[in-house]
Amino acid sequence: MFNLKTVLPLAAALLLSVAGAHATVRTETGLTESAAGKSETYRLNVPTEKEIATTRIRLVVPAGVVISRFQVTPGFTRAVKKDASGLVTEVVWTGRVAPMEYARFFFQARNPAAGGEVVWKIYQTYSDGSVVAWDDTNPAEGPASRTTVK
């Protein structure tokens, strides 16, 4: 018979390790929730999950999120796309993340003023030109990262 006190923590740890293997956006402290209107430091975590390098990461900025600045990420160049009002709508980092490695990209942003769910769409390009879409196009294989704004 299984001891629930032992099995449940192990199952939770396994789920967290599997969920953490995808490209994700979390607060600097690793949370998936934040306060409405709050200025927050976010981290985009991108692991290479293939036997070839990741060479490009594209983040689509959710509506209502206002990015104000980026932390320098050595070895990567960054390009931003802005809308007519000057707000950042997309960010592309170009560089190299070798197999069995991951990269973290930090940025500061203000959350939307109203509560709700913020969906971060991430597109990871590999050295062979293949793209993995972390955007819910296929939620079982490429779930989008989410932040609950309260």
Side-chain angles (χ1 to χ4, degrees):
M1 185 148 202
F2 293 108
N3 179 343
L4 286 179
K5 288 183 180 179
T6 304
V7 173
L8 289 177
L10 290 173
L14 178 62
L15 286 173
L16 285 174
S17 68
V18 170
H22 304 310
T24 57
V25 175
R26 301 285 186 259
T27 67
E28 185 176 30
T29 58
L31 300 176
T32 58
E33 64 180 47
S34 188
K38 179 181 180 184
S39 289
E40 184 78 74
T41 298
Y42 284 100
R43 69 177 190 215
L44 166 59
N45 192 66
V46 183
T48 294
E49 297 180 324
K50 294 185 178 187
E51 296 301 316
I52 56 175
T54 296
T55 56
R56 182 176 188 263
I57 300 101
R58 180 170 67 103
L59 172 69
V60 176
V61 180
V65 173
V66 179
I67 293 182
S68 58
R69 63 184 50 91
F70 299 91
Q71 179 173 310
V72 174
T73 307
F76 286 85
T77 58
R78 181 186 61 250
V80 297
K81 182 178 178 182
K82 296 181 179 182
D83 65 12
S85 62
L87 296 176
V88 176
T89 58
E90 288 187 15
V91 186
V92 175
W93 288 271
T94 305
R96 181 178 168 78
V97 185
M100 296 182 64
E101 293 183 348
Y102 68 92
R104 281 192 174 160
F105 306 92
F106 290 88
F107 57 94
Q108 292 179 338
R110 189 177 69 248
N111 292 332
E117 188 174 66
V118 173
V119 179
W120 305 91
K121 295 181 180 184
I122 306 160
Y123 301 89
Q124 182 175 5
T125 303
Y126 285 91
S127 59
D128 65 357
S130 63
V131 177
V132 177
W134 305 106
D135 66 356
D136 280 346
T137 301
N138 183 348
E141 293 182 19
S145 192
R146 289 173 161 67
T147 301
T148 302
V149 176
K150 296 181 174 186

